[in-house]
């Protein structure tokens, strides 16, 4: 099995890969900005530079906060799946998970998701500053502060926003642009921001999905190997001692086939599917299942005897046992097996 720190290391590796993708996008955006962006007129640029800063208190809108715990959980899951990680406003995974964490502090899924999403939100904030989109930068930094007031990048981001706003104001006082040129710049800025956010959120979601799929596959493979080893050890322990040599009996007349053995010998025991919510939350546990094997070796009945934690892995454990196959037996045999679930394998 893999220890918790190894699983944490895998998550950090995934975040670093995503951060590298975002950093490349930021560099490309900065190059495009130098070639295409025009300086803003003082009467048009000043409002953007002096826009009231968003705060952590109003980072999550009242519309999102009004949703119930179940509505927030479903909306967050949908936004995450559709790559709406931190935008648009009032309909993104970060806001939903923040509201969910505040209403259900013990929800491990919300805390885990925010841990994965914050590095991307930090990079998106830096890119907004680079585009001189200060209202968006303030909104994103407010989300970061709401999620983690002690985040190491928070002070730097706020300082960068203030310095960039001052630079824009100073440049606006020195340059003159027509209203038509300023409107064109604003339209191009919005188009660039939307396109960049869509592309980067999709890339980030793909990186996370790939990492999570690899972790699930590795965990399933390790669990299958462990169960196979345990099964082989059990079969060796149950094998009867070698009988003393005896003279070979005289050939007997053909008779009816011997009855199938009564002890259970596994032929196929597929591993259970790991529930996605439990895997994301890092939840582990075990389920004891009682089942009956028919004379043909198939499982004819299965039920949960004991589960810890209850109702988390019950369904997947029973579904897996019903697919198990054993060598034929002389009469139906009822037995119990304990199935373990560990996100680290």
């Amino acid at each position: 099995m893999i220890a918790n720190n190894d699983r944490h290391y895998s998550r950090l590796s995934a975040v670093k890969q995503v951060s590298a993708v975002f950093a490349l996008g930021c560099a490309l955006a900065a190059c495009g900005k130098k070639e295409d962006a025009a300086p803003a007129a003082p009467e048009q640029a000043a409002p953007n530079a002096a826009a009231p800063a968003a705060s952590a208190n109003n980072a999550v809108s009242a519309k999102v906060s009004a949703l119930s715990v179940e509505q927030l959980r479903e909306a967050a899951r949908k936004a995450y799946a559709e790559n709406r990680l931190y935008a648009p406003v009032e309909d993104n995974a970060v806001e939903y998970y923040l509201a969910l964490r505040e209403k259900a502090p013990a929800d491990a899924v919300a805390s885990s998701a925010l841990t994965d999403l914050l590095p991307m939100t930090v990079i998106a904030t830096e890119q907004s500053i680079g585009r001189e989109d200060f209202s968006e930068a303030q909104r994103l930094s407010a989300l970061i502060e709401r999620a983690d007031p002690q985040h190491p990048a928070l002070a730097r981001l706020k300082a960068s926003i203030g310095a960039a706003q001052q630079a824009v104001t100073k440049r606006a006082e020195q340059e003159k642009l027509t209203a038509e040129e300023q409107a064109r710049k604003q339209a191009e800025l919005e188009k660039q921001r939307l396109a960049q956010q869509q592309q980067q959120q999709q890339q980030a979601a793909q990186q996370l999905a790939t990492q999570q799929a690899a972790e699930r596959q590795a965990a399933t493979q390790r669990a299958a190997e462990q169960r196979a080893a345990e099964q082989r050890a059990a079969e060796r322990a149950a094998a009867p001692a070698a009988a003393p040599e005896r003279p070979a009996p005289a050939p007997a007349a053909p008779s009816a086939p011997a009855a199938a053995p009564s002890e259970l010998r596994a032929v196929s025991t597929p591993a259970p599917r790991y529930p996605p919510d439990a895997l994301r939350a890092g939840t582990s546990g075990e389920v004891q299942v009682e089942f009956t094997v028919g004379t043909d070796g198939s499982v004819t009945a299965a039920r949960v005897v004991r589960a810890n934690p209850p109702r988390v892995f019950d369904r997947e454990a029973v579904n897996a046992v019903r697919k198990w196959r054993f060598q034929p037996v002389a009469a139906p045999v009822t037995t119990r097996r304990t199935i373990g679930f560990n996100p680290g394998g």
Side-chain angles (χ1 to χ4, degrees):
M1 296 186 181
I2 297 179
N4 290 334
N5 58 341
D6 293 334
R7 178 162 54 83
H8 183 61
Y9 179 80
S10 298
R11 177 182 294 170
L12 290 178
S13 298
V15 172
K16 289 180 180 179
Q17 294 174 1
V18 174
S19 300
V21 173
F22 275 121
L24 179 59
C26 182
L28 294 175
C31 293
K33 176 179 175 297
K34 291 180 180 179
E35 295 175 1
D36 301 331
E43 63 274 16
Q44 298 296 334
N48 185 35
S55 68
N57 293 332
N58 59 15
V60 177
S61 69
K63 174 183 176 182
V64 173
S65 298
L67 298 177
S68 68
V69 170
E70 290 302 321
Q71 289 173 330
L72 287 169
R73 187 175 286 112
E74 180 59 28
R77 185 182 297 111
K78 183 177 180 181
Y80 196 101
E82 294 177 357
N83 302 337
R84 289 179 281 105
L85 305 181
Y86 48 78
V89 179
E90 296 185 345
D91 190 17
N92 60 81
V94 173
E95 285 194 53
Y96 289 135
Y97 278 126
L98 282 172
L100 176 59
R101 187 183 68 177
E102 291 172 3
K103 290 191 175 184
D107 193 307
V109 174
S111 299
S112 176
L114 287 172
T115 299
D116 291 339
L117 291 170
L118 277 185
M120 309 170 203
T121 309
V122 169
I123 295 175
T125 306
E126 295 171 339
Q127 293 170 341
S128 298
I129 297 172
R131 293 192 304 267
E132 297 180 0
D133 189 358
F134 302 125
S135 61
E136 179 68 0
Q138 291 167 344
R139 182 185 75 84
L140 294 173
S141 66
L143 289 175
I144 297 170
E145 185 174 4
R146 185 71 168 266
D148 182 7
Q150 304 302 322
H151 195 282
L154 191 58
R156 173 178 58 80
L157 291 174
K158 289 185 176 181
S160 297
I161 293 173
Q165 287 177 315
Q166 292 179 0
V168 168
T169 301
K170 182 177 181 180
R171 186 176 68 239
E173 294 172 353
Q174 298 172 348
E175 300 172 347
K176 300 294 182 180
L177 291 178
T178 65
E180 180 180 354
E181 290 173 323
Q182 179 62 18
R184 179 191 60 79
K185 179 184 176 181
Q186 292 298 329
E188 181 63 26
L189 175 65
E190 181 67 13
K191 180 179 178 181
Q192 178 185 2
R193 178 169 67 88
L194 292 176
Q196 189 178 65
Q197 284 183 343
Q198 181 179 4
Q199 179 183 6
Q200 291 168 350
Q201 290 182 107
Q202 183 176 3
Q203 291 174 345
Q206 290 174 349
Q207 290 278 355
L208 288 174
T210 300
Q211 178 68 19
Q212 292 169 355
E215 290 177 354
R216 287 195 298 270
Q217 182 178 1
T220 300
Q221 182 177 356
R222 287 190 297 270
E225 293 174 352
Q226 180 180 358
R227 282 191 295 273
E230 292 173 351
Q231 182 65 31
R232 289 193 297 269
E235 291 176 357
R236 288 195 299 269
E245 295 184 0
R246 295 180 180 178
S255 60
S262 59
E263 69 272 19
L264 294 180
R265 294 185 182 276
V267 174
S268 174
T269 56
R273 173 178 174 269
Y274 214 110
D277 288 346
L279 182 63
R280 178 188 294 278
T283 304
S284 61
E286 62 179 20
V287 180
Q288 187 179 66
V289 180
E290 181 181 89
F291 59 95
T292 300
V293 178
T295 57
D296 62 349
S298 64
V299 175
T300 60
R303 70 181 184 90
V304 173
V305 177
R306 175 178 54 80
N308 181 29
R311 296 184 297 280
V312 176
F313 304 103
D314 298 23
R315 179 180 299 176
E316 299 300 338
V318 170
N319 289 342
V321 169
R322 286 174 176 167
K323 298 176 184 177
W324 288 3
R325 293 294 179 270
F326 299 82
Q327 291 183 0
V329 291
V333 178
T334 299
T335 185
R336 294 183 181 184
R337 296 287 174 87
T338 300
I339 302 174
F341 291 81
N342 192 316

